[in-house]
Amino acid sequence: MAPPIADLREYLAETEDYRRIFDHLRYDQQTVLPDGATADRARQIGLMERRMRDRIADPRLDQLVAAVERHGPDPDDDFAAWAVARTARRDHDAARTRPVEVLSDFQVVAAEAFPAWRDARAAGRWADFAPWLRRLVDLNLRLADAVGYPDHPMDALLSAYEPGLSYAATDALLAGLREPVLRLNALRQQRYAGRPRVGFPDLDRQTAFAFVRDLTERIGYDWNRGGLAVSPHPFTSPSGANDVRFTLRDDVPFDEILTSAVHEIGHALYEQGIAPELWGTSAARGVMPWLHESQAKFWENIVGRTPEFARFAHGVLAPYLGDHPGEVTPESLHEALVARPTSVIRIATDELTFNLHILLRWEIETSLLSGTLDVDDVPELWNARSAEYFGAAPASDRDGALQDPHWCHRWMGLFTSYVIGNLVSAQLAAAMRRDGVDLEAGAEAGDFAPMLGWLRRHVHAPGRTFTLAELVPRATGADLGTEAYLSHLERRYAPDTEGETR
Amino acid sequence: MAPPIADLREYLAETEDYRRIFDHLRYDQQTVLPDGATADRARQIGLMERRMRDRIADPRLDQLVAAVERHGPDPDDDFAAWAVARTARRDHDAARTRPVEVLSDFQVVAAEAFPAWRDARAAGRWADFAPWLRRLVDLNLRLADAVGYPDHPMDALLSAYEPGLSYAATDALLAGLREPVLRLNALRQQRYAGRPRVGFPDLDRQTAFAFVRDLTERIGYDWNRGGLAVSPHPFTSPSGANDVRFTLRDDVPFDEILTSAVHEIGHALYEQGIAPELWGTSAARGVMPWLHESQAKFWENIVGRTPEFARFAHGVLAPYLGDHPGEVTPESLHEALVARPTSVIRIATDELTFNLHILLRWEIETSLLSGTLDVDDVPELWNARSAEYFGAAPASDRDGALQDPHWCHRWMGLFTSYVIGNLVSAQLAAAMRRDGVDLEAGAEAGDFAPMLGWLRRHVHAPGRTFTLAELVPRATGADLGTEAYLSHLERRYAPDTEGETR
């Protein structure tokens, strides 16, 4: 008779194959699928998702996990067996609290809400989207009620995806960024006021992508287990640790291609770094999406926006410039990455106020869920907060309350991953430094192995074994907080001695 | 209560989604998948195949089809219901005669035989592959025994995939081509002896593919339901009538890109042309692979190798030549397509002796199955036939008995699709002409709607509703034969009055 863990692994392998196929079919849809096949593909994705969900919620999984639990796997003795069983247990128990009807109703409403959002945005008319948001808020509340919560519906939405995140703690973390970010951004704007926008070479796609392949391979991305394609919005597809492809836009300025590539391979390095003994199980994925975002933010911001990284990237870039010497220098490359103007548009803004964009959405989401804000009054609050946080109200709802489509395809609360990811990225960097890793020297020399090795050991290898609330103290010795991130921002945007901005 | 046909359709829709996902995963593997993910993808493909097979062999399908049959659908009254039920019945009954163990054993042996073939070919050592071929022959015989046959094991292998094809009839068709092809090829070689090889522009991939997109759209390929990618061997992926992508090599001379494109969209037009009322059922695929090949051969050979098509294609090409005027003319383009040298390599040879390459393999396959040829003696027979058919024995087994990998991943008998496809393509063209379609005038004017419309009505729309043996007389008024094809070859390679070669 096979040992219990072998039976569990066999069961999970098929479940995970459905998930991997699901991920791949979505990837293909965003990169290659012809428009005419949209409805067919939606049905195929739905089929894979149902198979996967059915298996996770199936009582057989409960029995298989229970058999391993009775066997008493010990993390010190057989880490993989212990990790696989606890992850499967968490997923199975969570699946039972999330009613299939609510998940499925959300998909149906979301599928209609998205084009409604698109049209409302084009027309700049909030009233056209408001009825859809009302229905979406109701669905969020239905999920929260099913999951249950001690204090605020947001407790349920956050914990359904990331056990251990509470409304109150998250609210405190986000609010704690407001004043320091506003102060630092004023300093930053003062420093770069009136400086001309940096010019970049207009590389053709083939050359730009050859540069990206070269650069990302030097950082540690494994092209034998990856790939690069074009899509309207950059993303990374985790179709298994051996098939982690990422995408870029090819119709944006060079500095955006560069930061997008470094951001996406942050996601990809995480998936590629999961320990092989977990592959084929539900532990073998990055923790979605909070910790995942920390990995992208680490490479994009903590490393990617240093003058040392700009010098390294410029060295890699030089041979690709060909007939386009342009005016790009290591200094101008760095300046382009830190001097970006503040914008009322989230995806166009600078590193600092990006956090306040999330705070704004958090304030609106939590007020909608608690009933203290009506859907019709969203633009008024949005515009007031924009003036306060970004120095201007948007010209219209098109650039304001209608700028993001996320509410049409994600549960509320998931926006916070962008800020939590920032906090964690800085906390990890601080822990890494304490362990003797010199990030700046490594970036300048193009020697990323010490950083990547540290992340592999402390973050990537265990995959989903630990929740965010478990992993952060294990890896950094402290609970999730704002201190390390604020220090990082201070060092970069308010250096007290030298003029060089990190 | 839903009518029986609605229940059957619902059941088939899921079965077909597994098949479409299977097809797509294989397509992606041949175009984009990173090498590191090969084993994962093989497992995912296997999962989709098992789901599909299980559903086809499931007694539930028998019951659902029987309910429709009791309802008595009438082809004149409700063609789609009748077509869906009879196709599902055929698949279900056939699945029960093909034991899962044999199919699965074949996959296992084939997976090991392929690298053995590759290494044996590299070394030019037949003896290294012979033991694998012996095992593969045994597996072919096991399938034949399970299916049953009146006369020769090949009866079973052919009919397992295409009911109505017999060993004796197929043997007579193939043998009947031998003498005429040898005679015509001698004439052809005489005509083009000593002519210099035509020079072609060395277009970059982007330009060549832009030309292919333009050309194939003019022929009738729907880019809203298709796509083009690069792969080591060109193929068409039938992932549903709305997602029919094809691939090309990008490292071959221009005339090969042109003929490959026209060949592949012949396959693709078939899949895109299946009647929408059959989509989502097992009737909604081209008849594999015999009739399918006829569609590719029709466009590649019957239409694509005429001087009229060369003039049309040259007109489309002209704007893409840019700085590469080269020496290409309508006449040189046409000559390149008909003057190709005869080769002992199947995929490199001319239009005529391609048929004899299949005859050679057929003689070897049928002798191996009937026990009149031993595996060790294959190269001797191969070389003797090569000398007779192509005017030379191959320099080594590398270019002889080891040139094709097909025995490692297909059942014996399937090679005949290439010749049966040729016969059917000419028979369809003759019927089309009798119905008043002028193929040459249409090709010259770039007006392909009359040909394509005729094929849509008579061949594409019903999908797999009819077997090859049923469809050919329905569409052409005569059983499958060699007459039309030999007339086509005579007109092209032995024109009695004019010098122009069609």
Side-chain angles (χ1 to χ4, degrees), chain B residues 280-315:
Chain B
T281 78
S282 44
R285 276 178 292 142
V287 177
M288 281 288 194
W290 287 266
L291 195 58
H292 228 298
E293 203 59 35
S294 79
Q295 297 307 291
K297 296 289 192 187
F298 175 83
W299 294 100
E300 179 196 348
N301 288 333
I302 304 286
V303 176
R305 291 185 202 267
T306 56
E308 291 83 1
F309 185 83
R311 288 197 280 273
F312 158 73
H314 184 266

mmCIF file of all heavy atoms in Angstrom, chain B residues 280-315:
data_model
loop_
_atom_site.group_PDB
_atom_site.id
_atom_site.type_symbol
_atom_site.label_atom_id
_atom_site.label_comp_id
_atom_site.label_asym_id
_atom_site.label_seq_id
_atom_site.Cartn_x
_atom_site.Cartn_y
_atom_site.Cartn_z
ATOM 1 N N GLY B 280 -19.107 22.143 -31.432
ATOM 2 C CA GLY B 280 -19.281 21.622 -30.070
ATOM 3 C C GLY B 280 -19.713 20.173 -30.033
ATOM 4 O O GLY B 280 -20.032 19.651 -28.974
ATOM 5 N N THR B 281 -19.737 19.504 -31.200
ATOM 6 C CA THR B 281 -20.051 18.076 -31.242
ATOM 7 C C THR B 281 -18.896 17.355 -31.928
ATOM 8 O O THR B 281 -18.029 17.979 -32.548
ATOM 9 C CB THR B 281 -21.340 17.792 -32.040
ATOM 10 O OG1 THR B 281 -21.036 17.867 -33.449
ATOM 11 C CG2 THR B 281 -22.429 18.795 -31.697
ATOM 12 N N SER B 282 -18.919 16.012 -31.860
ATOM 13 C CA SER B 282 -17.823 15.254 -32.469
ATOM 14 C C SER B 282 -17.924 15.247 -33.996
ATOM 15 O O SER B 282 -17.018 14.766 -34.681
ATOM 16 C CB SER B 282 -17.787 13.834 -31.911
ATOM 17 O OG SER B 282 -19.084 13.291 -31.849
ATOM 18 N N ALA B 283 -19.009 15.765 -34.548
ATOM 19 C CA ALA B 283 -19.099 15.888 -36.008
ATOM 20 C C ALA B 283 -18.310 17.104 -36.507
ATOM 21 O O ALA B 283 -18.008 17.206 -37.696
ATOM 22 C CB ALA B 283 -20.561 16.016 -36.435
ATOM 23 N N ALA B 284 -17.958 17.996 -35.594
ATOM 24 C CA ALA B 284 -17.357 19.271 -35.997
ATOM 25 C C ALA B 284 -15.844 19.207 -36.099
ATOM 26 O O ALA B 284 -15.135 19.977 -35.469
ATOM 27 C CB ALA B 284 -17.768 20.379 -35.028
ATOM 28 N N ARG B 285 -15.371 18.248 -36.861
ATOM 29 C CA ARG B 285 -13.940 18.223 -37.170
ATOM 30 C C ARG B 285 -13.798 17.690 -38.571
ATOM 31 O O ARG B 285 -14.688 16.989 -39.073
ATOM 32 C CB ARG B 285 -13.200 17.254 -36.239
ATOM 33 C CG ARG B 285 -12.822 17.857 -34.922
ATOM 34 C CD ARG B 285 -12.156 16.812 -34.074
ATOM 35 N NE ARG B 285 -13.142 15.807 -33.717
ATOM 36 C CZ ARG B 285 -12.898 14.500 -33.644
ATOM 37 N NH1 ARG B 285 -11.699 14.031 -33.930
ATOM 38 N NH2 ARG B 285 -13.840 13.663 -33.293
ATOM 39 N N GLY B 286 -12.675 17.998 -39.203
ATOM 40 C CA GLY B 286 -12.410 17.413 -40.499
ATOM 41 C C GLY B 286 -12.242 15.911 -40.341
ATOM 42 O O GLY B 286 -11.867 15.425 -39.280
ATOM 43 N N VAL B 287 -12.535 15.152 -41.383
ATOM 44 C CA VAL B 287 -12.321 13.710 -41.366
ATOM 45 C C VAL B 287 -10.822 13.477 -41.391
ATOM 46 O O VAL B 287 -10.144 13.864 -42.319
ATOM 47 C CB VAL B 287 -12.981 13.047 -42.581
ATOM 48 C CG1 VAL B 287 -12.680 11.556 -42.593
ATOM 49 C CG2 VAL B 287 -14.482 13.280 -42.559
ATOM 50 N N MET B 288 -10.300 12.893 -40.351
ATOM 51 C CA MET B 288 -8.850 12.731 -40.214
ATOM 52 C C MET B 288 -8.430 11.361 -40.657
ATOM 53 O O MET B 288 -9.070 10.410 -40.265
ATOM 54 C CB MET B 288 -8.446 12.897 -38.757
ATOM 55 C CG MET B 288 -8.376 14.326 -38.304
ATOM 56 S SD MET B 288 -6.935 15.161 -39.025
ATOM 57 C CE MET B 288 -6.903 16.640 -37.994
ATOM 58 N N PRO B 289 -7.274 11.263 -41.294
ATOM 59 C CA PRO B 289 -6.549 12.330 -41.953
ATOM 60 C C PRO B 289 -6.689 12.258 -43.477
ATOM 61 O O PRO B 289 -6.132 13.088 -44.160
ATOM 62 C CB PRO B 289 -5.105 12.040 -41.553
ATOM 63 C CG PRO B 289 -5.047 10.562 -41.346
ATOM 64 C CD PRO B 289 -6.463 10.065 -41.114
ATOM 65 N N TRP B 290 -7.470 11.273 -43.985
ATOM 66 C CA TRP B 290 -7.464 11.083 -45.434
ATOM 67 C C TRP B 290 -8.093 12.250 -46.183
ATOM 68 O O TRP B 290 -7.495 12.840 -47.072
ATOM 69 C CB TRP B 290 -8.152 9.759 -45.792
ATOM 70 C CG TRP B 290 -7.323 8.563 -45.458
ATOM 71 C CD1 TRP B 290 -6.464 7.899 -46.300
ATOM 72 C CD2 TRP B 290 -7.224 7.887 -44.205
ATOM 73 N NE1 TRP B 290 -5.855 6.857 -45.627
ATOM 74 C CE2 TRP B 290 -6.306 6.827 -44.343
ATOM 75 C CE3 TRP B 290 -7.833 8.078 -42.959
ATOM 76 C CZ2 TRP B 290 -5.981 5.978 -43.306
ATOM 77 C CZ3 TRP B 290 -7.523 7.230 -41.920
ATOM 78 C CH2 TRP B 290 -6.596 6.191 -42.098
ATOM 79 N N LEU B 291 -9.347 12.562 -45.825
ATOM 80 C CA LEU B 291 -10.014 13.647 -46.523
ATOM 81 C C LEU B 291 -9.357 14.988 -46.199
ATOM 82 O O LEU B 291 -9.299 15.886 -47.042
ATOM 83 C CB LEU B 291 -11.502 13.662 -46.132
ATOM 84 C CG LEU B 291 -12.405 14.493 -47.033
ATOM 85 C CD1 LEU B 291 -12.334 14.008 -48.473
ATOM 86 C CD2 LEU B 291 -13.845 14.419 -46.535
ATOM 87 N N HIS B 292 -8.858 15.099 -44.978
ATOM 88 C CA HIS B 292 -8.179 16.337 -44.588
ATOM 89 C C HIS B 292 -7.021 16.616 -45.542
ATOM 90 O O HIS B 292 -6.823 17.744 -46.006
ATOM 91 C CB HIS B 292 -7.656 16.218 -43.154
ATOM 92 C CG HIS B 292 -8.003 17.408 -42.324
ATOM 93 N ND1 HIS B 292 -7.551 18.663 -42.618
ATOM 94 C CD2 HIS B 292 -8.778 17.536 -41.206
ATOM 95 C CE1 HIS B 292 -8.034 19.514 -41.718
ATOM 96 N NE2 HIS B 292 -8.781 18.858 -40.865
ATOM 97 N N GLU B 293 -6.254 15.584 -45.816
ATOM 98 C CA GLU B 293 -5.105 15.777 -46.696
ATOM 99 C C GLU B 293 -5.561 16.199 -48.087
ATOM 100 O O GLU B 293 -4.865 16.960 -48.769
ATOM 101 C CB GLU B 293 -4.294 14.471 -46.752
ATOM 102 C CG GLU B 293 -2.854 14.645 -47.142
ATOM 103 C CD GLU B 293 -2.064 15.569 -46.205
ATOM 104 O OE1 GLU B 293 -2.333 15.565 -44.990
ATOM 105 O OE2 GLU B 293 -1.202 16.302 -46.707
ATOM 106 N N SER B 294 -6.724 15.726 -48.511
ATOM 107 C CA SER B 294 -7.206 16.120 -49.854
ATOM 108 C C SER B 294 -7.406 17.623 -49.938
ATOM 109 O O SER B 294 -7.211 18.220 -51.004
ATOM 110 C CB SER B 294 -8.526 15.408 -50.181
ATOM 111 O OG SER B 294 -9.630 16.039 -49.536
ATOM 112 N N GLN B 295 -7.811 18.246 -48.830
ATOM 113 C CA GLN B 295 -8.043 19.690 -48.855
ATOM 114 C C GLN B 295 -6.727 20.454 -48.963
ATOM 115 O O GLN B 295 -6.622 21.452 -49.675
ATOM 116 C CB GLN B 295 -8.830 20.105 -47.609
ATOM 117 C CG GLN B 295 -10.208 19.484 -47.567
ATOM 118 C CD GLN B 295 -10.955 19.752 -48.858
ATOM 119 O OE1 GLN B 295 -11.330 20.883 -49.153
ATOM 120 N NE2 GLN B 295 -11.145 18.731 -49.684
ATOM 121 N N ALA B 296 -5.718 19.978 -48.252
ATOM 122 C CA ALA B 296 -4.402 20.614 -48.352
ATOM 123 C C ALA B 296 -3.827 20.417 -49.749
ATOM 124 O O ALA B 296 -3.274 21.342 -50.357
ATOM 125 C CB ALA B 296 -3.475 20.029 -47.294
ATOM 126 N N LYS B 297 -3.960 19.196 -50.280
ATOM 127 C CA LYS B 297 -3.406 18.890 -51.609
ATOM 128 C C LYS B 297 -4.141 19.670 -52.701
ATOM 129 O O LYS B 297 -3.545 20.029 -53.721
ATOM 130 C CB LYS B 297 -3.510 17.385 -51.884
ATOM 131 C CG LYS B 297 -2.686 16.506 -50.941
ATOM 132 C CD LYS B 297 -1.201 16.639 -51.206
ATOM 133 C CE LYS B 297 -0.420 15.547 -50.477
ATOM 134 N NZ LYS B 297 1.031 15.754 -50.587
ATOM 135 N N PHE B 298 -5.444 19.873 -52.510
ATOM 136 C CA PHE B 298 -6.191 20.624 -53.514
ATOM 137 C C PHE B 298 -5.577 22.005 -53.707
ATOM 138 O O PHE B 298 -5.289 22.434 -54.821
ATOM 139 C CB PHE B 298 -7.672 20.753 -53.112
ATOM 140 C CG PHE B 298 -8.466 21.627 -54.047
ATOM 141 C CD1 PHE B 298 -8.993 21.115 -55.225
ATOM 142 C CD2 PHE B 298 -8.669 22.977 -53.771
ATOM 143 C CE1 PHE B 298 -9.708 21.918 -56.109
ATOM 144 C CE2 PHE B 298 -9.376 23.799 -54.642
ATOM 145 C CZ PHE B 298 -9.895 23.274 -55.815
ATOM 146 N N TRP B 299 -5.367 22.718 -52.584
ATOM 147 C CA TRP B 299 -4.838 24.083 -52.703
ATOM 148 C C TRP B 299 -3.362 24.082 -53.057
ATOM 149 O O TRP B 299 -2.916 24.887 -53.878
ATOM 150 C CB TRP B 299 -5.095 24.861 -51.406
ATOM 151 C CG TRP B 299 -6.561 25.088 -51.173
ATOM 152 C CD1 TRP B 299 -7.381 24.376 -50.349
ATOM 153 C CD2 TRP B 299 -7.396 26.049 -51.828
ATOM 154 N NE1 TRP B 299 -8.666 24.846 -50.429
ATOM 155 C CE2 TRP B 299 -8.712 25.879 -51.335
ATOM 156 C CE3 TRP B 299 -7.171 27.046 -52.792
ATOM 157 C CZ2 TRP B 299 -9.790 26.667 -51.758
ATOM 158 C CZ3 TRP B 299 -8.245 27.831 -53.202
ATOM 159 C CH2 TRP B 299 -9.532 27.640 -52.701
ATOM 160 N N GLU B 300 -2.607 23.179 -52.488
ATOM 161 C CA GLU B 300 -1.168 23.165 -52.770
ATOM 162 C C GLU B 300 -0.888 22.770 -54.222
ATOM 163 O O GLU B 300 -0.100 23.427 -54.907
ATOM 164 C CB GLU B 300 -0.447 22.182 -51.836
ATOM 165 C CG GLU B 300 1.053 22.117 -52.106
ATOM 166 C CD GLU B 300 1.727 20.891 -51.482
ATOM 167 O OE1 GLU B 300 1.079 20.208 -50.661
ATOM 168 O OE2 GLU B 300 2.881 20.620 -51.837
ATOM 169 N N ASN B 301 -1.506 21.683 -54.683
ATOM 170 C CA ASN B 301 -1.146 21.115 -55.982
ATOM 171 C C ASN B 301 -2.085 21.499 -57.118
ATOM 172 O O ASN B 301 -1.654 22.029 -58.132
ATOM 173 C CB ASN B 301 -1.111 19.586 -55.903
ATOM 174 C CG ASN B 301 0.087 19.093 -55.103
ATOM 175 O OD1 ASN B 301 1.109 19.773 -55.041
ATOM 176 N ND2 ASN B 301 -0.058 17.939 -54.494
ATOM 177 N N ILE B 302 -3.351 21.178 -56.939
ATOM 178 C CA ILE B 302 -4.301 21.371 -58.045
ATOM 179 C C ILE B 302 -4.358 22.852 -58.422
ATOM 180 O O ILE B 302 -4.279 23.219 -59.593
ATOM 181 C CB ILE B 302 -5.704 20.865 -57.654
ATOM 182 C CG1 ILE B 302 -5.656 19.401 -57.207
ATOM 183 C CG2 ILE B 302 -6.694 21.105 -58.795
ATOM 184 C CD1 ILE B 302 -5.478 18.405 -58.291
ATOM 185 N N VAL B 303 -4.483 23.721 -57.416
ATOM 186 C CA VAL B 303 -4.553 25.162 -57.673
ATOM 187 C C VAL B 303 -3.159 25.792 -57.624
ATOM 188 O O VAL B 303 -2.754 26.511 -58.540
ATOM 189 C CB VAL B 303 -5.463 25.851 -56.627
ATOM 190 C CG1 VAL B 303 -5.469 27.361 -56.822
ATOM 191 C CG2 VAL B 303 -6.877 25.293 -56.706
ATOM 192 N N GLY B 304 -2.409 25.493 -56.549
ATOM 193 C CA GLY B 304 -1.180 26.238 -56.260
ATOM 194 C C GLY B 304 -0.063 26.053 -57.265
ATOM 195 O O GLY B 304 0.840 26.900 -57.344
ATOM 196 N N ARG B 305 -0.044 24.949 -58.019
ATOM 197 C CA ARG B 305 1.045 24.738 -58.979
ATOM 198 C C ARG B 305 0.646 25.063 -60.420
ATOM 199 O O ARG B 305 1.315 24.610 -61.365
ATOM 200 C CB ARG B 305 1.552 23.295 -58.874
ATOM 201 C CG ARG B 305 2.278 23.016 -57.552
ATOM 202 C CD ARG B 305 2.881 21.616 -57.488
ATOM 203 N NE ARG B 305 3.099 21.195 -56.120
ATOM 204 C CZ ARG B 305 4.249 21.364 -55.445
ATOM 205 N NH1 ARG B 305 5.275 21.915 -56.035
ATOM 206 N NH2 ARG B 305 4.356 20.977 -54.188
ATOM 207 N N THR B 306 -0.421 25.825 -60.588
ATOM 208 C CA THR B 306 -0.770 26.259 -61.949
ATOM 209 C C THR B 306 -0.031 27.554 -62.282
ATOM 210 O O THR B 306 0.302 28.329 -61.375
ATOM 211 C CB THR B 306 -2.287 26.558 -62.075
ATOM 212 O OG1 THR B 306 -2.642 27.540 -61.096
ATOM 213 C CG2 THR B 306 -3.109 25.297 -61.860
ATOM 214 N N PRO B 307 0.213 27.797 -63.583
ATOM 215 C CA PRO B 307 0.813 29.090 -63.958
ATOM 216 C C PRO B 307 -0.100 30.264 -63.583
ATOM 217 O O PRO B 307 0.391 31.350 -63.267
ATOM 218 C CB PRO B 307 0.986 28.988 -65.475
ATOM 219 C CG PRO B 307 0.277 27.761 -65.915
ATOM 220 C CD PRO B 307 0.035 26.893 -64.727
ATOM 221 N N GLU B 308 -1.412 30.022 -63.589
ATOM 222 C CA GLU B 308 -2.342 31.102 -63.237
ATOM 223 C C GLU B 308 -2.168 31.506 -61.769
ATOM 224 O O GLU B 308 -2.172 32.688 -61.430
ATOM 225 C CB GLU B 308 -3.804 30.664 -63.484
ATOM 226 C CG GLU B 308 -4.177 30.505 -64.951
ATOM 227 C CD GLU B 308 -3.761 29.150 -65.523
ATOM 228 O OE1 GLU B 308 -3.186 28.319 -64.770
ATOM 229 O OE2 GLU B 308 -4.003 28.922 -66.722
ATOM 230 N N PHE B 309 -2.027 30.514 -60.908
ATOM 231 C CA PHE B 309 -1.848 30.841 -59.490
ATOM 232 C C PHE B 309 -0.515 31.548 -59.291
ATOM 233 O O PHE B 309 -0.406 32.463 -58.471
ATOM 234 C CB PHE B 309 -1.915 29.574 -58.620
ATOM 235 C CG PHE B 309 -1.864 29.874 -57.149
ATOM 236 C CD1 PHE B 309 -3.010 30.237 -56.452
ATOM 237 C CD2 PHE B 309 -0.655 29.817 -56.454
ATOM 238 C CE1 PHE B 309 -2.965 30.534 -55.100
ATOM 239 C CE2 PHE B 309 -0.610 30.113 -55.089
ATOM 240 C CZ PHE B 309 -1.762 30.478 -54.412
ATOM 241 N N ALA B 310 0.508 31.124 -60.048
ATOM 242 C CA ALA B 310 1.812 31.782 -59.928
ATOM 243 C C ALA B 310 1.704 33.254 -60.308
ATOM 244 O O ALA B 310 2.314 34.123 -59.668
ATOM 245 C CB ALA B 310 2.843 31.072 -60.808
ATOM 246 N N ARG B 311 0.888 33.557 -61.324
ATOM 247 C CA ARG B 311 0.726 34.960 -61.720
ATOM 248 C C ARG B 311 0.008 35.741 -60.622
ATOM 249 O O ARG B 311 0.389 36.862 -60.277
ATOM 250 C CB ARG B 311 -0.035 35.053 -63.048
ATOM 251 C CG ARG B 311 0.828 34.604 -64.244
ATOM 252 C CD ARG B 311 0.257 35.062 -65.586
ATOM 253 N NE ARG B 311 -0.828 34.217 -66.065
ATOM 254 C CZ ARG B 311 -0.670 33.103 -66.787
ATOM 255 N NH1 ARG B 311 0.542 32.671 -67.126
ATOM 256 N NH2 ARG B 311 -1.708 32.407 -67.185
ATOM 257 N N PHE B 312 -1.027 35.124 -60.050
ATOM 258 C CA PHE B 312 -1.747 35.774 -58.938
ATOM 259 C C PHE B 312 -0.805 35.996 -57.754
ATOM 260 O O PHE B 312 -0.712 37.104 -57.204
ATOM 261 C CB PHE B 312 -2.940 34.904 -58.536
ATOM 262 C CG PHE B 312 -3.426 35.158 -57.137
ATOM 263 C CD1 PHE B 312 -4.121 36.325 -56.822
ATOM 264 C CD2 PHE B 312 -3.189 34.235 -56.124
ATOM 265 C CE1 PHE B 312 -4.569 36.558 -55.527
ATOM 266 C CE2 PHE B 312 -3.629 34.470 -54.834
ATOM 267 C CZ PHE B 312 -4.318 35.635 -54.532
ATOM 268 N N ALA B 313 -0.091 34.942 -57.347
ATOM 269 C CA ALA B 313 0.786 35.033 -56.173
ATOM 270 C C ALA B 313 1.885 36.063 -56.407
ATOM 271 O O ALA B 313 2.260 36.815 -55.493
ATOM 272 C CB ALA B 313 1.386 33.667 -55.843
ATOM 273 N N HIS B 314 2.391 36.120 -57.628
ATOM 274 C CA HIS B 314 3.432 37.096 -57.930
ATOM 275 C C HIS B 314 2.905 38.519 -57.787
ATOM 276 O O HIS B 314 3.601 39.409 -57.281
ATOM 277 C CB HIS B 314 3.980 36.865 -59.342
ATOM 278 C CG HIS B 314 5.127 37.772 -59.668
ATOM 279 N ND1 HIS B 314 4.955 38.981 -60.319
ATOM 280 C CD2 HIS B 314 6.448 37.660 -59.404
ATOM 281 C CE1 HIS B 314 6.134 39.575 -60.445
ATOM 282 N NE2 HIS B 314 7.058 38.795 -59.900
ATOM 283 N N GLY B 315 1.660 38.726 -58.194
ATOM 284 C CA GLY B 315 1.045 40.047 -58.055
ATOM 285 C C GLY B 315 0.914 40.448 -56.589
ATOM 286 O O GLY B 315 1.134 41.600 -56.214
#
